Amino acid sequence: MDWLTYLPSLAQGALVTAWITLASIAIGAALAFAAGIARVEGGRAVSTLALCYTEVFRGTSLLVQLFWLYYALPLVGLSFDPVTTGIVGLSLHVGAYGSEIVRGALNAVPVAQREAARALNFGRVHTLMRICLPQAIVEMMPAFGNLAIETLKLSSLVSLISIADLTFRAQSIRNITLDSATVYTLTLVGYFLMSLVLMLAMRLIERMVRRGAAFPRAAHA
């Protein structure tokens, strides 16, 4: 029953992993909407800026990004504590990939609906908020659910910048006990349980979004 002695430390690491994952998903989603909308609705300069952000963070390794934020950025006088660095790095990564989800969903809205809104003298913001986004968000949810799960799995990389998350704690216990099989089995179970909870939460949110989108259509019918 030695494995029971591992649980308190692993549980503390799991809490850190959960916090970093949830914070990164929330901030990353905000960045994704900002960059995705800028790609579709922004002017040339704003769209180009959003494109550069997206391509840089999609085209480089997340691990290298974390190392750059943690080790290189302080050389120019800007430094964060490890947890903040991990959240910033993951958020920028999530935002870059999520922006493509937002852009694709907005572009999938039929052009005829935009033209009809223009004919009714709707402004661009009104068209975006009342016509395009409500439809696009429904289409985004499955992809955002997958991205959330991927963010949880990628969060294990923050252990390499001295954050005592679940992976870091598991590695520390393993180095002391040499009980690799038990420690890493418990770690796998921990990540799976967190993934399961996150998956169920995203499905619940998706169901609520679809139900909310259905009510206006029913009201207009």
Side-chain angles (χ1 to χ4, degrees):
M1 300 294 286
D2 287 343
W3 62 272
L4 290 175
T5 63
Y6 307 155
L7 292 182
S9 180
L10 292 176
Q12 291 177 359
L15 289 176
V16 174
T17 293
W19 161 242
I20 290 175
T21 300
L22 293 176
S24 299
I25 290 172
I27 299 171
L31 290 173
F33 274 92
I37 291 172
R39 292 282 307 279
V40 177
E41 300 290 343
R44 178 172 297 180
V46 174
S47 179
T48 300
L49 185 63
L51 175 62
C52 290
Y53 156 66
T54 299
E55 295 306 319
V56 166
F57 283 93
R58 289 175 68 223
T60 54
S61 164
L62 173 59
L63 181 58
V64 176
Q65 293 167 19
L66 289 171
F67 282 163
W68 188 86
L69 289 169
Y70 191 62
Y71 295 110
L73 203 57
L75 298 179
V76 297
L78 187 60
S79 62
F80 304 104
D81 63 87
V83 172
T84 302
T85 301
I87 292 173
V88 169
L90 278 170
S91 297
L92 290 169
H93 182 83
V94 171
Y97 278 89
S99 68
E100 287 298 289
I101 297 173
V102 174
R103 184 182 67 85
L106 287 174
N107 285 334
V109 176
V111 176
Q113 296 194 21
R114 297 176 186 269
E115 294 175 347
R118 194 177 300 115
L120 293 171
N121 203 29
F122 284 7
R124 293 178 65 181
V125 175
H126 193 182
T127 301
L128 174 68
M129 300 301 295
R130 298 299 298 274
I131 295 176
C132 297
L133 269 180
Q135 299 177 69
I137 288 176
V138 175
E139 302 303 321
M140 296 176 200
M141 289 308 300
F144 267 118
N146 291 334
L147 185 58
I149 299 298
E150 187 66 19
T151 302
L152 171 62
K153 292 186 289 186
L154 288 173
S155 71
S156 62
L157 293 176
V158 303
S159 64
L160 298 175
I161 57 171
S162 305
I163 297 178
D165 71 331
L166 179 56
T167 299
F168 184 95
R169 297 271 185 169
Q171 187 66 28
S172 299
I173 295 172
R174 184 264 172 196
N175 289 340
I176 295 171
T177 64
L178 300 181
D179 188 4
S180 300
T182 303
V183 171
Y184 289 128
T185 298
L186 290 173
T187 305
L188 283 173
V189 171
Y191 275 108
F192 173 73
L193 291 176
M194 286 190 288
S195 295
L196 185 62
V197 172
L198 186 57
M199 179 182 64
L200 293 174
M202 292 303 297
R203 287 183 177 176
L204 177 61
I205 294 172
E206 180 181 351
R207 191 176 300 118
M208 292 170 61
V209 168
R210 290 188 180 278
R211 187 179 300 131
F215 284 153
R217 289 198 295 267
H220 288 297

